[in-house]
Amino acid sequence: MKFILKDGRIINIVPFNPQIPASEFLRFINRLIDEDIYIMHNTRYVLSQEIKWKRDKLAAIKKNNCVGLAALYGRRVIASLEARREPGNLSDNVSCGVAIAKGFRGFGLGEKMLRMLISLAKEKLHPKNIYLTVIADNTPAIALYKKVGFTKIIGRYPNWFKHKGKYIDSLTLLLVEK
Ligand SMILES: CC(C)(COP(=O)(O)OP(=O)(O)OC[C@H]1O[C@@H](n2cnc3c(N)ncnc32)[C@H](O)[C@@H]1OP(=O)(O)O)[C@@H](O)C(=O)NCCC(=O)NCCS
């Protein structure tokens, strides 16, 4: 679907699909890693790893263990979101991940896509719980998550995330239905 950013740029939001080249996701993730922001990954990936990641993710989607969305600006991947089921007896718990490329943040895309992801996850994965983890210093992300309904803090791991030599708490937030 077409989505118009607050600055007028037109973005195409699509389900994660085999037609998007692994090289585009590679460029996207490596740019986030180079930014050194609040994400778990800290080592650049190479194409072979990204091809495997894409294959595994498509397999998980096929098995109804995962749903994913991407946003394209032209051919360029500028956002990637997923909701993924935990294994075994935890499988009714679904965790979400969200990332928007630099230059495309603050224009409404994260909110639009996270709301879409939640709807898709409910429809396809029928979870008991939808949650996510976020670093306690990540003010924009926490504001977004609260706005869409992740209002209950169900976990705090103290000094969990190392960022620029400093240890920061990690929070687990639960989606609370209104
Ligand atoms: C966090 C992130 C996903 C937000 O996406 P976004 O597209 O920039 O957010 P939106 O423009 O849709 O904003 C939606 C809401 O989020 C909050 N928000 C977004 N940017 C913010 C900022 N810089 N400061 C405070 N709140 C902010 C606001 O509540 C905003 O609603 P409002 O416009 O009514 O004020 C995006 O900044 C991002 O990808 N950051 C880098 C990766 C990352 O940190 N991912 C999360 C890891 S847990």
Side-chain angles (χ1 to χ4, degrees):
M1 66 160 285
K2 296 269 178 276
F3 179 70
I4 302 176
L5 297 185
K6 285 176 185 169
D7 68 352
R9 281 176 291 175
I10 297 171
I11 303 299
N12 197 14
I13 301 176
V14 295
F16 188 89
N17 70 76
Q19 278 73 46
I20 308 171
S23 56
E24 280 301 325
F25 283 109
L26 181 68
R27 192 191 345 209
F28 171 74
I29 185 68
N30 280 341
R31 281 190 177 172
L32 290 174
I33 290 166
D34 291 347
E35 266 192 80
D36 194 17
I37 49 172
Y38 298 112
I39 57 169
M40 195 187 69
H41 315 279
N42 61 5
T43 312
R44 291 184 124 248
Y45 289 92
V46 296
L47 187 58
S48 57
Q49 289 172 304
E50 206 65 12
I51 289 169
K52 182 179 180 311
W53 169 82
K54 183 179 156 182
R55 195 173 49 231
D56 291 349
K57 185 158 165 166
L58 287 167
I61 290 170
K62 205 169 176 186
K63 285 186 192 159
N64 259 340
N65 286 331
C66 177
V67 292
L69 292 172
L72 302 168
Y73 184 57
R75 285 175 51 83
R76 187 177 152 201
V77 171
I78 54 110
S80 179
L81 286 80
E82 77 164 33
R84 193 175 278 265
R85 200 188 282 295
E86 290 193 22
N89 285 335
L90 303 179
S91 63
D92 287 339
N93 303 315
V94 163
S95 70
C96 302
V98 183
I100 311 290
K102 193 173 174 182
F104 293 85
R105 297 176 194 147
F107 298 111
L109 187 60
E111 180 176 346
K112 174 70 184 176
M113 291 187 75
L114 185 53
R115 290 189 191 280
M116 287 175 70
L117 185 79
I118 292 166
S119 297
L120 194 61
K122 284 181 179 170
E123 182 196 326
K124 301 275 184 193
L125 308 178
H126 307 289
K128 173 82 175 146
N129 298 303
I130 300 182
Y131 73 97
L132 42 76
T133 58
V134 62
I135 306 312
D137 280 10
N138 194 347
T139 311
I142 291 173
L144 166 65
Y145 299 154
K146 276 195 178 152
K147 191 175 180 190
V148 303
F150 291 88
T151 50
K152 189 169 179 186
I153 299 175
I154 56 167
R156 176 184 286 268
Y157 292 78
N159 299 316
W160 212 250
F161 186 86
K162 192 165 144 190
H163 189 243
K164 299 184 177 166
K166 186 178 144 200
Y167 289 94
I168 310 167
D169 295 357
S170 170
L171 305 177
T172 305
L173 307 181
L174 182 70
L175 182 69
V176 177
E177 302 299 345
K178 284 180 199 125

